[in-house]
Amino acid sequence: MKNDIFDFKRFGNYFVTDIKNAIANYGWSMIILIFLGLISFILVGLVNTIFAYNWEDILNGGSIEWVHANVGSRIGSMVGAATILIFTASAKCYGGLTDKNIGSDFLLLPASRLEKFISMILMCCFVIPIVFIMGYLLIDCLICMVCPETGNSIISEVTSALNLILVEGDVPVELIDRIKWTSAIDDTWMIFLFFLLGALVFKKSKASKTFLVGVAITMFTSIVLFILLMPQIDKIDTYYYYNASGQTDEELEIVALNIFDKMMLFDTIFDITINALLLTGIWFKLKTLKH
Amino acid sequence: MIKIEDLSFSYGNYEVLKGISFKMEEGKIYGLLGENGVGKTTLLTLIAGLKAPQIGSILVDGKKPYDRQPSFLENIFYLPDVVAPVRYKAIDFAKDRGKFWSKFSLDRFNQIMQLLENDPQRRMDKMSLGQLKKTYISFALACNCKYLIMDEPTNGLDIPSKAQFRKALTKFTSEDSTILISTHQVRDLENIIDPIIILDKQDVLLNASIQEITEKLYFDYSTEVVPDALYAEMIPGGAIQVRVNEEGLESKVNIEALFNAVHLHKDVVKNMFNKK
């Protein structure tokens, strides 16, 4: 008797097929995005050199010196490449499911809905972002090894910055302990899941329609959150900066940390709720997909 | 066994299938015929599990296709009219996808590809329509499924390939397989399909074996035109007529003539075949 819900061997086979499909559909795009660091390094360097060059010097026999892209511009390029990745990866890898031929092939492949769902989520939330980040940072490290004049690699720059803020900086230990570091991961998943859902819902112009819907939802939630959180922010202002009730520094710190805790809790609940809603939407879409 | 009961399906306000009921038994190659727009492809996709019945039910060996359980999907292969030109070599596609069908045989895939004169090393997105169709046909037959559903399988195939397809279909399907082929190209499959299902707008006009058809209808190829024929058509060298077989004569079914006769005399034919 075969397990119709989840079978590890079948899931393994399906996940391998899913990876192969992703390579076939998005492999070249991923390579281009990873090498975008190198491309932008060359282009930014070229632009820097052209604009930094003193034309009077060259007319007087001066030599041309290449002005490398600094770490700031390399981080900017990575953010740009990551944005393109978020916009395009889900649509390219899974957007075909709304197409009659590709979608039928997907639906009728003998694997369970749960296996297909888990594989899809693993691809979008882990495999694709990790491959991109590792690939991009590796290329960046190689650039820095070949051209030491360009400065530190992105990874060492980010590590130094965090070290400066958290270890050597003046951020209170109590606050550092309360920061929910996984929030960044939750938010990344949220964006990938949102674009995955968009790829399954919209038949055409998937990325742009998803983006527009995202903008609309963000505007709406920002207004709602502003209304909900404003009293808390006012409280911090009142207690911390104006010390309206004349409390000691220690008392003020306890009040501020309590408010911070509440905001972190709200952030956690918000992230979990939105991610759960997105996962439910993707599951429901897979369940009701028809061709 | 495929059991369809009181099945209805609409696209918005346009009702395609209405109260359709019939059964399909094991070990037979069913031919599904019908005019454009009567719901042949819709019926096939419903049986395959790509759509959900709105009213009524479909059961394949007691399972609902739309649940798309792996144990159901492993026993069925649906070959659509238009197939996807995926970015794989045919052989890699077969190796990769074949893992999901427990009875799939790569040797069989290669044999059928060879029979259909198709190159398994060629990338599928670089193939012509006919070559792509032949790759999918080879894969479908290599999966060795109990249920094989094909929508216009001979579309896009050249003349030699049609004969090779017939040969592959008879050679590479097991005796207990149920095959359902929807086609307008009836001559391509004339000697293979049995029984024949003729679908009309919101109705099944005929679901009968070739033997049942020839017991009740006589296909007259003589030159003399009979006035009470259900259907008559002049053809080079004579005529083809479909008459009620009152004398118990033996004849060879001409599916095109049968289809036209059924369409001209829907109620007569329905009553004739419903009397059991």
Side-chain angles (χ1 to χ4, degrees):
Chain A
M1 188 75 182
K2 293 209 169 181
N3 189 335
D4 275 332
I5 296 167
F6 193 88
D7 178 276
F8 277 102
K9 190 184 171 199
R10 197 172 54 213
F11 172 71
N13 285 337
Y14 184 79
F15 192 51
V16 170
T17 301
D18 216 7
I19 290 173
K20 284 182 183 172
N21 280 341
I23 292 170
N25 293 325
Y26 200 64
W28 280 109
S29 306
M30 178 65 98
I31 288 169
I32 291 168
L33 284 178
I34 286 171
F35 276 89
L36 206 62
L38 180 64
I39 296 165
S40 69
F41 172 74
I42 294 166
L43 288 177
V44 171
L46 191 68
V47 172
N48 282 350
T49 306
I50 291 167
F51 284 98
Y53 191 68
N54 188 332
W55 290 97
E56 280 181 25
D57 268 6
I58 197 169
L59 291 171
N60 296 324
S63 59
I64 298 172
E65 279 184 25
W66 186 263
V67 183
H68 287 287
N70 61 17
V71 69
S73 68
R74 282 188 281 117
I75 290 173
S77 301
M78 188 175 178
V79 171
T83 308
I84 298 170
L85 180 90
I86 287 166
F87 268 59
T88 55
S90 313
K92 280 270 188 181
C93 292
Y94 297 107
L97 300 192
T98 55
D99 169 78
K100 193 179 174 186
N101 295 325
I102 299 168
S104 301
D105 193 44
F106 167 85
L107 290 175
L108 299 183
L109 200 70
S112 73
R113 193 179 304 130
L114 182 63
E115 288 154 3
K116 291 174 184 175
F117 173 76
I118 293 174
S119 174
M120 199 180 256
I121 301 303
L122 284 178
M123 282 296 293
C124 286
C125 293
F126 292 94
V127 178
I128 291 172
I130 288 172
V131 167
F132 169 75
I133 291 169
M134 301 286 277
Y136 199 100
L137 293 180
L138 182 70
I139 295 288
D140 185 69
C141 286
L142 290 175
I143 290 171
C144 295
M145 277 171 68
V146 175
C147 305
E149 303 88 348
T150 191
N152 286 335
S153 64
I154 294 173
I155 195 158
S156 94
E157 198 66 26
V158 172
T159 313
S160 310
L162 285 175
N163 197 44
L164 191 71
I165 297 166
L166 303 178
V167 182
E168 295 165 19
D170 56 357
V171 180
V173 178
E174 292 85 354
L175 200 61
I176 293 170
D177 289 345
R178 283 172 159 80
I179 295 171
K180 195 170 71 72
W181 297 104
T182 52
S183 182
I185 298 169
D186 291 351
D187 292 343
T188 311
W189 284 344
M190 197 189 294
I191 297 168
F192 270 101
L193 292 176
F194 184 68
F195 273 86
L196 175 59
L197 183 60
L200 298 177
V201 169
F202 299 115
K203 289 203 168 183
K204 285 177 182 173
S205 311
K206 293 164 187 288
S208 51
K209 282 180 185 169
T210 309
F211 174 71
L212 289 174
V213 171
V215 168
I217 293 172
T218 308
M219 282 169 74
F220 175 75
T221 46
S222 300
I223 295 166
V224 172
L225 289 181
F226 181 77
I227 295 165
L228 286 174
L229 294 178
M230 202 53 213
Q232 301 294 328
I233 294 164
D234 276 348
K235 265 188 191 174
I236 294 177
D237 273 358
T238 312
Y239 279 107
Y240 210 71
Y241 295 109
Y242 303 113
N243 196 5
S245 46
Q247 287 163 304
T248 62
D249 284 353
E250 286 77 20
E251 285 170 335
L252 283 175
E253 197 174 299
I254 291 166
V255 172
L257 287 174
N258 276 340
I259 294 167
F260 190 78
D261 279 344
K262 278 184 189 171
M263 288 171 78
M264 281 289 120
L265 180 68
F266 178 82
D267 183 55
T268 307
I269 293 168
F270 182 80
D271 284 358
I272 290 171
T273 309
I274 299 295
N275 278 328
L277 282 174
L278 288 168
L279 287 169
T280 310
I282 293 163
W283 172 263
F284 187 71
K285 192 65 203 160
L286 281 186
K287 190 181 176 185
T288 55
L289 203 59
K290 299 181 185 84
H291 284 292
Chain B
M1 179 189 273
I2 298 175
K3 198 173 169 189
I4 296 169
E5 273 187 2
D6 202 24
L7 178 72
S8 297
F9 192 89
S10 313
Y11 293 101
N13 291 329
Y14 180 62
E15 197 163 39
V16 184
L17 302 170
K18 188 182 176 185
I20 303 281
S21 299
F22 65 93
K23 287 177 187 172
M24 284 190 273
E25 292 162 9
E26 288 173 12
K28 291 180 177 173
I29 302 177
Y30 285 82
L32 180 65
L33 314 177
E35 289 175 299
N36 293 325
V38 296
K40 297 189 297 297
T41 300
T42 303
L43 181 62
L44 298 187
T45 52
L46 281 160
I47 295 171
L50 288 171
K51 289 184 177 74
Q54 290 160 346
I55 299 171
S57 68
I58 301 177
L59 291 175
V60 179
D61 288 341
K63 287 180 177 164
K64 292 177 184 172
Y66 188 63
D67 289 346
R68 297 173 195 149
Q69 292 174 327
S71 56
F72 162 77
L73 296 173
E74 208 184 304
N75 276 323
I76 196 161
F77 194 93
Y78 170 61
L79 181 68
D81 183 11
V82 182
V83 285
V86 290
R87 295 179 190 177
Y88 280 99
K89 280 182 184 175
I91 187 79
D92 293 337
F93 173 82
K95 276 181 194 166
D96 188 56
R97 301 297 164 96
K99 288 181 292 193
F100 295 95
W101 280 269
S102 58
K103 290 179 189 168
F104 173 80
S105 159
L106 192 63
D107 284 345
R108 182 185 280 227
F109 174 77
N110 284 322
Q111 280 178 52
I112 304 166
M113 285 291 273
Q114 200 176 5
L115 179 70
L116 296 173
E117 295 171 5
N118 216 9
D119 179 10
Q121 296 298 334
R122 201 176 156 96
R123 260 180 64 165
M124 289 165 75
D125 57 345
K126 307 282 179 200
M127 287 180 174
S128 70
L129 176 68
Q131 289 169 328
L132 188 64
K133 201 73 178 269
K134 285 194 273 189
T135 303
Y136 273 95
I137 288 169
S138 305
F139 184 73
L141 292 172
C143 284
N144 204 9
C145 292
K146 190 176 173 190
Y147 298 100
L148 180 55
I149 299 169
M150 296 175 154
D151 195 358
E152 300 288 358
T154 54
N155 265 9
L157 298 190
D158 55 24
I159 295 165
S161 299
K162 287 178 180 179
Q164 287 153 352
F165 168 70
R166 284 193 291 269
K167 195 175 170 185
L169 193 65
T170 46
K171 189 178 174 187
F172 292 102
T173 49
S174 54
E175 283 183 4
D176 62 342
S177 293
T178 304
I179 300 163
L180 176 59
I181 303 174
S182 163
T183 186
H184 292 290
Q185 318 287 328
V186 285
R187 283 181 188 161
D188 293 344
L189 301 164
E190 198 147 40
N191 297 319
I192 289 186
I193 50 177
D194 180 17
I196 292 169
I197 300 169
I198 298 180
L199 205 62
D200 190 34
K201 284 169 189 154
Q202 307 173 357
D203 204 1
V204 177
L205 293 180
L206 178 81
N207 178 11
S209 67
I210 295 290
Q211 193 187 340
E212 284 172 306
I213 292 166
T214 52
E215 275 172 11
K216 289 174 179 167
L217 295 171
Y218 177 65
F219 293 82
D220 187 350
Y221 298 89
S222 65
T223 50
E224 190 184 332
V225 177
V226 182
D228 63 347
L230 296 172
Y231 175 75
E233 183 189 340
M234 298 308 292
I235 53 172
I240 166 71
Q241 296 169 86
V242 182
R243 294 192 285 145
V244 177
N245 193 3
E246 286 167 339
E247 295 144 27
L249 299 168
E250 283 188 10
S251 61
K252 186 180 179 300
V253 173
N254 178 309
I255 298 178
E256 264 187 32
L258 169 71
F259 184 82
N260 290 325
V262 171
H263 265 269
L264 283 171
H265 302 276
K266 291 174 184 174
D267 291 335
V268 173
V269 174
K270 266 184 84 175
N271 289 335
M272 193 185 291
F273 283 89
N274 283 342
K275 281 181 208 163
K276 291 214 169 176

